Amino acid sequence: MPGKSIGNVLFLILTLLIACMWAFPIYWAVVTSVKPEQEVVSKTTFIPDVFNFSAYYFALFNTNLATWYMNSIVTSVTVTIVVIVISVMCAYALSQIIFPGRKLLYGIILASFMVPSQALVVSQFVLMHRLGLINTWGGIILPQLIVPVVVIVYKQFFDSVPKELREAAKLDGCGEFQILFRLYLPLNWGITTALAIITYIMAWNAFLWPFLVTSSEDMMTVTVGITQISDAFGVKYARDMAVAILAAMPVAVAYLLFQKRVTQALMLSSGIKG
Amino acid sequence: MIAPFVTAYLVVFAYPVYKMFALSFTDAPLIGVGQWVGFGNYVKLFGQKLFYTSVWNTGYFVLLTVIPNTLIGLGLALMVVRLKGWLQSLILVLFFIPYILPVSVVTQIWQWVLDQQFGIAQYMIEFFTGKRISVFRDPVWAMPMVALVTVWWTNGFNLLLFIAGLRNIPQDYYEAAMLDGATRLQCFRRITWPLIWPVTALVLTLQLILQLKIFDQVYLMTEGGPFNSTYVLLQLVYREAFRLNHGGVGSAVAVMLFLIIVVVSVLQYQLLRVRER
């Protein structure tokens, strides 16, 4: 039917148009970042007359961006690894080992969903101060280590591993740690990468806590640090956009490389099967 | 095996929860010990105009984001699922990418887009209102604009959930309905809507709880201004505890936020259960 196909083409054009409008602010930020500062404020060009990377040069070499990158990488990679390791162990125990208080512990972890971590910032700050961890990597990392949803997702996956596998491994004389890291974890490798990537993205993007716990510019993460640049050097749009793009790069790349995994992890953590 | 997680849980989660309640009954500064004041901080809060302003603004923000965000997510998902192959992936990426950006990047981009002098969105604002508006310095515009930016930023996640939900609806239903001569609108009302309702309820729940905790965007774009028109609860926590050095009062506000979220979650859970029956 020709009528139907024209309709489809129109529908496609409409969808594309909306999608492009939706993503336009990002395009606009990228385009702005490669314009000379004068062109940014003198005229509206959708494609720059000349490509100029001085904004990136400035962002990389005249600001603290390199230090903030370092802080972000160290803290978000550590958070990712520790969250996965401690959660996977806890989930394995909850799923496979019978110990007193197992049900209660699971119930408590489920209930933690209700506690908004943002409401805890005052008492966490007091605690970090007492531990002498203000303005340190440890201070940024510690409160981010409890992610109940990772435990719950792992537990559900471990529950569905056939019991015979575990019994066979036990007969072969494997300890619980061996069973977990040699058998259960490799069996759930896909879900581990998914959860790791999403944890990494969340840790990189964390704002409120790193903002509160770091006051010295040398300890800030990228997400917090970039908000200081306009304050320190005045508003310059090409430069601010270059800084923003550099700050978003590590998560944008991780997302584009692992799209499917990111999607899967988000579905799992919201309770829809991926 | 549970030791590392449980230790971390007790130290950086359970203890701070307990401490939040304990601090809220003292007049402690941010760092240091305070005297027990019973419900003093709460009484003080209820006598403070800024507290009501913050509660009101938090509610206003929730109103401006939760339902629009859910409807836009569903609308976009209905468009995207009709596409196929690489085209669908491409469009999904375009819609989803804002979601993975850090909040400070999002606010920087929008501050530039909405800049009063050079912002590209001002052409549109000028077209509709006849003048350029410094949106984050205008008490009427500030909150709706923060909401707009938030919807843009977070919608990708809702879109994703809706797409997953729509993909789970068996195609046979539509084929059968089409054979019976059902129109698109009828298909939506009789098949899609009832079957997508559980996902809609999930999105609404997640959104409501998420948006009650608004702080980052407001702080970065307006700092609560102008004239406190975007002052929200978490901002009050920040102000009391970290700016005015009132750890006790700050904790009391945090407890209020915590209670609001618990009540809302429980109520919503009950409402959804009633609906399902």
Side-chain angles (χ1 to χ4, degrees):
Chain A
M1 280 185 288
K4 204 172 178 190
S5 69
I6 289 174
N8 278 346
V9 170
L10 284 178
F11 169 80
L12 180 66
I13 292 172
L14 182 71
T15 313
L16 259 172
L17 210 68
I18 296 178
C20 289
M21 272 172 62
W22 195 270
F24 179 77
I26 295 176
Y27 170 76
W28 192 235
V30 175
V31 169
T32 304
S33 74
V34 293
K35 286 179 186 172
E37 219 55 77
Q38 298 94 318
E39 191 184 329
V40 170
V41 293
S42 62
K43 54 188 173 180
T44 307
T45 41
F46 289 92
I47 296 163
D49 296 343
V50 277
F51 285 86
N52 171 303
F53 292 94
S54 57
Y56 285 90
Y57 185 86
F58 183 91
L60 284 172
F61 300 109
N62 291 28
T63 68
N64 277 335
L65 199 66
T67 319
W68 299 331
Y69 250 95
M70 169 81 157
N71 294 332
S72 274
I73 291 170
V74 170
T75 53
S76 39
V77 169
T78 314
V79 166
T80 307
I81 295 174
V82 179
V83 163
I84 295 294
V85 171
I86 67 176
S87 306
V88 83
M89 282 164 53
C90 183
Y92 176 79
L94 284 172
S95 164
Q96 303 294 332
I97 303 172
I98 292 163
F99 60 91
R102 181 166 87 139
K103 286 248 168 68
L104 178 71
L105 181 59
Y106 187 59
I108 291 173
I109 293 175
L110 275 177
S112 335
F113 273 126
M114 292 254 228
V115 182
S117 59
Q118 289 88 337
L120 299 181
V121 289
V122 179
S123 42
Q124 280 174 336
F125 187 88
V126 174
L127 177 68
M128 289 304 136
H129 183 267
R130 205 177 296 160
L131 296 174
L133 291 175
I134 303 296
N135 271 320
T136 65
W137 286 342
I140 302 174
I141 292 166
L142 271 176
Q144 296 190 57
L145 294 182
I146 297 302
V147 191
V149 71
V150 175
V151 179
I152 289 157
V153 168
Y154 265 125
K155 182 188 175 298
Q156 281 165 357
F157 273 78
F158 290 163
D159 281 346
S160 62
V161 175
K163 292 270 174 281
E164 294 78 27
L165 280 175
R166 190 173 123 88
E167 271 145 32
K170 274 216 150 156
L171 285 178
D172 289 344
C174 288
E176 299 288 2
F177 278 93
Q178 273 181 317
I179 300 181
L180 169 58
F181 289 106
R182 293 255 176 90
L183 190 65
Y184 276 65
L185 204 53
L187 277 176
N188 293 288
W189 216 223
I191 187 60
T192 303
T193 23
L195 292 174
I197 290 158
I198 196 81
T199 312
Y200 163 79
I201 293 180
M202 294 304 160
W204 186 278
N205 288 351
F207 179 80
L208 178 60
W209 177 251
F211 162 74
L212 292 174
V213 81
T214 57
S215 53
S216 120
E217 290 227 352
D218 293 334
M219 286 316 297
M220 287 174 182
T221 60
V222 171
T223 325
V224 178
I226 63 165
T227 63
Q228 307 289 311
I229 287 188
S230 304
D231 294 347
F233 302 97
V235 177
K236 278 205 166 136
Y237 286 110
R239 185 206 57 213
D240 288 355
M241 289 307 109
V243 166
I245 287 157
L246 288 171
M249 205 56 93
V251 279
V253 170
Y255 167 65
L256 291 172
L257 285 178
F258 300 103
Q259 267 181 65
K260 280 226 170 90
R261 294 290 182 212
V262 172
T263 314
Q264 187 193 11
L266 288 173
M267 303 267 179
L268 285 169
S269 49
S270 64
I272 292 190
K273 285 236 170 67
Chain B
M1 264 195 194
I2 57 167
F5 183 88
V6 171
T7 314
Y9 185 92
L10 290 176
V11 175
V12 298
F13 196 84
Y15 176 72
V17 171
Y18 155 76
K19 203 70 193 164
M20 170 179 75
F21 284 101
L23 274 175
S24 76
F25 295 111
T26 69
D27 63 357
L30 181 57
I31 301 300
V33 281
Q35 294 282 314
W36 173 268
V37 292
F39 282 93
N41 290 330
Y42 294 92
V43 173
K44 211 188 272 173
L45 265 187
F46 284 108
Q48 199 181 5
K49 198 164 167 257
L50 194 55
F51 175 69
Y52 295 101
T53 309
S54 308
V55 173
W56 168 256
N57 286 339
T58 307
Y60 182 41
F61 176 77
V62 164
L63 199 73
L64 285 173
T65 48
V66 173
I67 293 176
N69 213 359
T70 308
L71 289 180
I72 292 171
L74 178 58
L76 295 180
L78 286 168
M79 297 184 92
V80 176
V81 279
R82 281 183 63 186
L83 304 170
K84 295 201 172 64
W86 65 271
L87 201 61
Q88 190 186 46
S89 318
L90 174 77
I91 294 209
L92 193 55
V93 167
L94 290 179
F95 281 124
F96 188 77
I97 201 122
Y99 180 73
I100 54 122
L101 299 179
V103 62
S104 41
V105 170
V106 170
T107 52
Q108 290 225 327
I109 291 177
W110 279 92
Q111 259 159 351
W112 164 225
V113 168
L114 289 166
D115 183 81
Q116 188 185 8
Q117 259 186 300
F118 310 112
I120 192 148
Q122 290 292 347
Y123 290 110
M124 219 146 82
I125 294 177
E126 214 174 355
F127 179 79
F128 284 115
T129 66
K131 57 176 193 291
R132 289 166 175 261
I133 296 172
S134 179
V135 288
F136 296 122
R137 296 219 185 89
D138 184 313
V140 178
W141 282 71
M143 195 56 118
M145 278 298 153
V146 175
L148 176 90
V149 173
T150 307
V151 170
W152 179 80
W153 179 37
T154 57
N155 196 267
F157 181 55
N158 304 334
L159 172 68
L160 211 67
L161 296 186
F162 277 122
I163 286 179
L166 290 171
R167 280 192 185 142
N168 280 341
I169 301 176
Q171 283 303 307
D172 324 359
Y173 291 7
Y174 293 107
E175 279 159 26
M178 290 290 192
L179 279 179
D180 291 342
T183 62
R184 258 186 198 291
L185 191 68
Q186 282 173 324
C187 280
F188 178 77
R189 276 189 46 202
R190 295 293 163 82
I191 304 172
T192 316
W193 181 249
L195 289 176
I196 204 73
W197 170 248
V199 179
T200 314
L202 174 76
V203 171
L204 281 171
T205 312
L206 293 174
Q207 281 293 312
L208 185 57
I209 293 169
L210 178 78
Q211 308 300 9
L212 280 170
K213 297 184 280 194
I214 164 104
F215 171 77
D216 302 359
Q217 307 95 292
V218 172
Y219 179 77
L220 290 170
M221 290 193 281
T222 67
E223 292 200 40
F227 312 115
N228 298 338
S229 62
T230 57
Y231 227 94
V232 289
L233 275 169
L234 261 174
Q235 179 124 24
L236 194 59
V237 176
Y238 174 68
R239 177 187 130 106
E240 288 292 347
F242 294 91
R243 281 282 152 89
L244 303 178
N245 199 22
H246 297 157
V249 186
S251 299
V253 184
V255 169
M256 296 307 297
L257 178 68
F258 169 77
L259 292 178
I260 292 175
I261 288 180
V262 170
V263 168
V264 166
S265 324
V266 171
L267 270 180
Q268 210 172 23
Y269 179 75
Q270 296 295 345
L271 278 175
L272 292 177
R273 247 189 16 184
V274 169
R275 246 332 279 237
E276 265 166 31
R277 249 184 241 151

